[in-house]
Each structure stands twice: as structure tokens, then as C-alpha cells.
């Protein structure tokens, strides 16, 4: 194994795995730390669900993943978080980065969420989503990790014991050698975590080349774009062009949406506008008794005979706020996630073999409930979202785990069509 990746959520894990596969690295994603041996691959991505859990739990799980990856021979460790730097002043990006650096005995790592192909760029330490600052994007109203400051040096500093510094774009634009020199200068000044700018894929390639020998990289999926070529240049990797093949499957299809991000809101609206079956989860009704969940399940299974069905909890910021005011943020989220997980089990029991899940936490809940242990990574549906293949009760299942903010308005239909579903 060359690279061991620790991903803080499930959609993020498939995102970075897709990036590595696309650049020719044989990659397997495992769901949590496997009890048995790690799979044989150039890269193994351990999917955790640690983005919003208490920091101590995130640290413990990340360290367990680190030990397993190192025991399997990983030369380099990559801590993958969201391209919108989803975190709170308590963590979990800072605490996990600190713990991994301590365990690896390294005093410097970059922090770079940039993913230009998806409109996430970092300039002078400020994260942009498309043309607006992170703090002006829909992320300011995220149900669990609202991002109200775009200055990543300022966002990261309260989360970490280390000093946070900046590697600005003009240096990155000059190439890997000037980047190495600047990182060394920052290290001498006592900086431990370096927010790294990147506004284009070339910057990601430069960062990857400059940091391919670091024990730890912390980043979104973007920097992973440059690692396979950097490893190949070092003679560690023989790129494999056929690494993204999945076995075709038959059977009904469904979409489960637990994300409230603006992109997912648009995708739900587009699906409904196309006259397709859509059933809405009401979190307040879920909290009253079991009837709402049972009702949704019965309706979803009945609708499957007529074509793909979407079940969604997706709502706008005002609706989410109202629900959270009544139930509390954590309870609202957990109830919706439990409902989605039960729906997924029922849908697969009824024969569904192609399933799209929208939302990082939501995907984690569904994947864990299905008891999936490994995912093979297939072709991308859009930047950051590949189809994956797992085994459910011994049968192949196609699963697309979509980060809430990814994909165009017609993403659900595009994904299903790519999986061979007639619409
Ligand atoms: P994203 O990828 O957009 O961040 P996630 O699935 O990670 O999406 O997070 C969305 C969170 O919001 C989940 O915990 C989900 O259960 C919760 N949620 C979804 N719909 C609602 C709703 N209508 N009201 C309150 N919380 C909701």
C-alpha cells in the first residue's frame, strides 16, 4: 500500500477514492476499520463518520484507522475532509490533524480543501464556493456545521494546538521547489498546520508533488488528483488505466436524500418537476410515533413497481430551523438518518440494486445500516461522485454516495441513467 486515506465521512471517502482511481491507482474503500486484514491495493480509503461526532471520538477512530493503515504498510497518510472545510470551533479537523501528526511524529502538514473542478478554490487563505466566499454560500446555513467565516487560518486556529500559517497562491504558482522552501521557512517559524492556496488543478499538482514525501497530508479530495503522478515519478506506482470497472446489475432503483444543501434542494425540485415519484419525510411526524416511517416505507415499496422513487428529508433553511427548534439539532438529524437507513434496508429487501444517497451524514447512516464492508470504485457521475459497488447479503449493489453540495440539478436522473436504469 502506498497511500492510506482516513476520510471523515462516507461521501468524502468515495470522492477521494474516485479521484485516485481516475488517476490510475488501484483503490479500495473500506467502511470503518476492518476487523480482518486490509485489502490489497495501491490505496485504501477508510470511511469514517467523524465529521460531527464529539472530538475525542473522532480522534480515537482516526487513530485506529491510522494504526491499521500503517500496519498494512501505507507510506503516506491522507486525512480527507470536506471541500467546504465543514467543522466547528471544537473540531473535528484540528483535533484529528493534531492527533495524527503526534502519532506520526511530524511537525508540519498542509491543510487544503480546494477542489477547483467543483468550484472550491482557496486564495490567500480564503475559501470560495463558486464566485462567493464560503461564508456567503449556502454553507452558512448548514444544519450541523454552519460555516460563517471564509478565512481558513482563522477557522482552523481555535481547533488546533499548533500554530496555523499560510502558503499563498503566488508561491504555489511558482512550483514545487518554492513551495518546499516556503514550507520549510514556515516550519522554522514554528508553524505546524499550513493552509495552502489552490485556485486551479495545476496548483493541486504542485502541492501534491511538494508534499508526496510528507508523512501526512490533510485536504479535501483535490490534492489527491496529483498524488498518483507524484508517486509514479518516484517509481512507487505503475498507473492502471482499467481500475474503474464495475459489474453491471439489474433491478429497481431508488434515491434517498437527507441533505438540505442548496444543490440537493435543486436536485429534489428537478426530480419532482420531471413528474417522478417523490415522497417527503416529515421529521416532526417521525418524532411523534412510528406510523409516518411505516407509511413512507409502504408507499415507497408500492411505487417501485412504476419506476425509481425518491424519498427526501431535504428542506430549506427556514424549515430546518423550525424543526431543529422543536426537536434539537442532533435529534432531528438522528431521526432523519434512522428513517433513511430503515428505508434503505426495506428498499434493498424489495429488490433495489441501484441506490443513490444524497448527504454525507445520510450516506454514512445508510451504508452502516446496510452493513457494507468494502466498496469498489467505478466511473464518475460528476466531479467528486463515482458509482461504487458493494456486496449486500452476498449480492452486488451499486451505490452512489453524493456529498450534499455536489452535482447539477438533474444529478439523480443522470446517475440512474449511467447505471443503466431506463427513465
Ligand atoms: P450534506 O452532505 O448536505 O452535509 P448531510 O446528510 O451530511 O448532508 O447532513 C444533513 C443533516 O441534516 C443530516 O443529519 C440529516 O439527518 C439532517 N436533516 C435532513 N433533513 C432535515 C430536516 N428536514 N430537518 C432537520 N434536519 C434534517
Amino acid at each position: 500500500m502506498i497511500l492510506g486515506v482516513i476520510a471523515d465521512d462516507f461521501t468524502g471517502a468515495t470522492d477521494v477514492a474516485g479521484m485516485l482511481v481516475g488517476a490510475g491507482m488501484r483503490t479500495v474503500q473500506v467502511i470503518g476499520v476492518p476487523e480482518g486484514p486490509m485489502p490489497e491495493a495501491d490505496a485504501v480509503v477508510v470511511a469514517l463518520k467523524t465529521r460531527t461526532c464529539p472530538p475525542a471520538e473522532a480522534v480515537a477512530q482516526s487513530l485506529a484507522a491510522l494504526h491499521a493503515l500503517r500496519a498494512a504498510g501505507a507510506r503516506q497518510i491522507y486525512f480527507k475532509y470536506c471541500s467546504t472545510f465543514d467543522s466547528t470551533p471544537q473540531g473535528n479537523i484540528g483535533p484529528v490533524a493534531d492527533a495524527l501528526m503526534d502519532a506520526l511524529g511530524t511537525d508540519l502538514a498542509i491543510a487544503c480543501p480546494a477542489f477547483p473542478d467543483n468550484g472550491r478554490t482557496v486564495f490567500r487563505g480564503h475559501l470560495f464556493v463558486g464566485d462567493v466566499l464560503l461564508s456567503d454560500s449556502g454553507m452558512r446555513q448548514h444544519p450541523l456545521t454552519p460555516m460563517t467565516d471564509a478565512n481558513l487560518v482563522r477557522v482552523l486556529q481555535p481547533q488546533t494546538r499548533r500554530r496555523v500559517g499560510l502558503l499563498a497562491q503566488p508561491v504555489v504558482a511558482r512550483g514545487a521547489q518554492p513551495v518546499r522552501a516556503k514550507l520549510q521557512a514556515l516550519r522554522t517559524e514554528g508553524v505546524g498546520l499550513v493552509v495552502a492556496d489552490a485556485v486551479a488543478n495545476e496548483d493541486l499538482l504542485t502541492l501534491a508533488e511538494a508534499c508526496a514525501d510528507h508523512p501526512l497530508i490533510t485536504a479535501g479530495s483535490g490534492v489527491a488528483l496529483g498524488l498518483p503522478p507524484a508517486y509514479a515519478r518516484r517509481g512507487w506506482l505503475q498507473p492502471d488505466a482499467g481500475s474503474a470497472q464495475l459489474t453491471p446489475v439489474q433491478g429497481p432503483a431508488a434515491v434517498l436524500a437527507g441533505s438540505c444543501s442548496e444543490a440537493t434542494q435543486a436536485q429534489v425540485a428537478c426530480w419532482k418537476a420531471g413528474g417522478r415519484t417523490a415522497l417527503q419525510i416529515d421529521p416532526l411526524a417521525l418524532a411523534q410515533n412510528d406510523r409516518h416511517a411505516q407509511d413512507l416505507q409502504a408507499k415507497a415499496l408500492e411505487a417501485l413497481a412504476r419506476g425509481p422513487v425518491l424519498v427526501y428529508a431535504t428542506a430549506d433553511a427556514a424549515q430546518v430551523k423550525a424543526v431543529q427548534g422543536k426537536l434539537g439539532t442532533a435529534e432531528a438529524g438522528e431521526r432523519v438518518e434512522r428513517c433513511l437507513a430503515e428505508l434503505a434496508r426495506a428498499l434493498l429487501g424489495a429488490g433495489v440494486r441501484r441506490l443513490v444517497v444524497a448527504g454525507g451524514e445520510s450516506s454514512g447512516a445508510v451504508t452502516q445500516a446496510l452493513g457494507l464492508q468494502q466498496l469498489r470504485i467505478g466511473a464518475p457521475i460528476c466531479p467528486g461522485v463515482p458509482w461504487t459497488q458493494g456486496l449486500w447479503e452476498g449480492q452486488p449493489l451499486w451505490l452512489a454516495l453524493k456529498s450534499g453540495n455536489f452535482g447539477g440539478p438533474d444529478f439523480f436522473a443522470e446517475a440512474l441513467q449511467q447505471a443503466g436504469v431506463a427513465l
Side-chain angles (χ1 to χ4, degrees):
M1 190 192 308
I2 303 166
L3 181 66
V5 183
I6 303 167
D8 73 349
D9 87 338
F10 287 53
T11 52
T14 53
D15 173 5
V16 68
M19 197 70 94
L20 295 167
V21 165
M25 233 171 148
R26 292 178 311 119
T27 306
V28 178
Q29 176 174 336
V30 293
I31 310 299
V33 181
E35 278 169 19
M38 282 283 180
E40 287 275 325
D42 300 324
V44 172
V45 180
V46 180
L48 300 178
K49 192 171 181 300
T50 49
R51 185 168 294 169
T52 57
C53 69
E57 214 173 288
V59 164
Q61 287 189 39
S62 305
L63 287 176
L66 172 72
H67 296 315
L69 289 165
R70 293 243 287 173
R75 287 177 184 233
Q76 183 167 47
I77 300 296
Y78 193 108
F79 170 36
K80 154 74 176 77
Y81 40 74
C82 191
S83 62
T84 42
F85 216 68
D86 300 15
S87 53
T88 69
Q90 287 71 48
N92 290 338
I93 295 176
V96 171
D98 277 344
L100 295 175
M101 289 174 75
D102 291 346
L104 288 163
T106 183
D107 59 357
L108 186 115
I110 59 160
C112 179
F115 188 179
D117 282 351
N118 260 339
R120 276 66 161 158
T121 53
V122 183
F123 185 67
R124 303 272 180 190
H126 289 69
L127 177 55
F128 289 81
V129 177
D131 295 330
V132 300
L133 285 167
L134 174 68
S135 45
D136 292 324
S137 77
M139 280 305 297
R140 73 188 181 283
Q141 289 167 325
H142 189 278
L144 306 175
T145 49
M147 300 302 290
T148 54
D149 188 358
N151 180 329
L152 298 184
V153 176
R154 212 158 48 200
V155 169
L156 186 53
Q157 189 61 81
Q159 298 183 31
T160 167
R161 286 184 276 106
R162 293 179 162 79
R163 236 179 91 199
V164 181
L166 174 65
L167 172 65
Q169 202 269 341
V171 179
V172 180
R174 286 172 45 217
Q177 201 42 47
V179 166
R180 285 191 196 102
K182 177 69 185 177
L183 289 176
Q184 187 49 42
L186 287 166
R187 175 184 267 134
T188 313
E189 287 168 28
V191 168
L193 275 164
V194 182
V195 170
D197 279 4
V199 299
N201 285 348
E202 281 130 58
D203 297 333
L204 297 175
L205 300 182
T206 299
L207 290 173
E209 175 57 33
C211 302
D213 304 293
H214 287 192
L216 177 70
I217 289 177
T218 88
S221 63
V223 175
L225 182 71
L227 287 177
Y231 297 150
R233 276 192 291 276
R234 285 162 176 74
W236 302 350
L237 173 74
Q238 289 263 326
D240 172 4
S243 48
Q245 295 290 334
L246 301 183
T247 322
V249 289
Q250 302 294 321
V255 183
L256 296 173
S259 159
C260 297
S261 69
E262 285 175 355
T264 306
Q265 288 182 46
Q267 287 153 0
V268 169
C270 180
W271 178 272
K272 285 161 65 177
R276 304 199 169 96
T277 311
L279 303 168
Q280 185 172 14
I281 298 172
D282 174 357
L284 295 179
L286 285 181
Q288 273 161 12
N289 55 44
D290 293 340
R291 207 163 331 124
H292 180 56
Q294 288 163 1
D295 211 43
L296 281 169
Q297 251 184 48
K299 283 190 179 141
L301 297 192
E302 185 210 8
L304 273 186
R306 297 190 295 277
V309 56
L310 162 69
V311 188
Y312 66 98
T314 311
D316 65 26
Q319 291 168 293
V320 171
K321 219 167 169 192
V323 166
Q324 290 180 334
K326 292 206 173 102
L327 299 181
T329 303
E331 186 179 340
E334 279 160 25
R335 283 199 184 275
V336 168
E337 288 175 35
R338 209 172 316 135
C339 175
L340 292 170
E342 283 162 14
L343 275 163
R345 270 201 297 258
L347 288 163
L348 264 59
V352 165
R353 291 294 172 269
R354 289 164 287 198
L355 181 67
V356 178
V357 188
E361 297 292 327
S362 308
S363 293
V366 166
T367 313
Q368 282 175 337
L370 294 177
L372 301 177
Q373 290 175 350
Q374 278 192 23
L375 296 176
R376 285 180 48 212
I377 308 300
I381 303 159
C382 71
V385 195
W387 270 110
T388 73
Q389 188 169 356
L391 270 186
W392 180 75
E393 301 200 337
Q395 297 172 51
L397 163 75
W398 278 41
L399 196 59
L401 305 177
K402 187 192 79 78
S403 169
N405 259 317
F406 285 0
D410 209 17
F411 175 86
F412 297 151
E414 286 162 9
L416 295 182
Q417 277 163 338
Q418 195 172 316
V421 178
L423 284 173

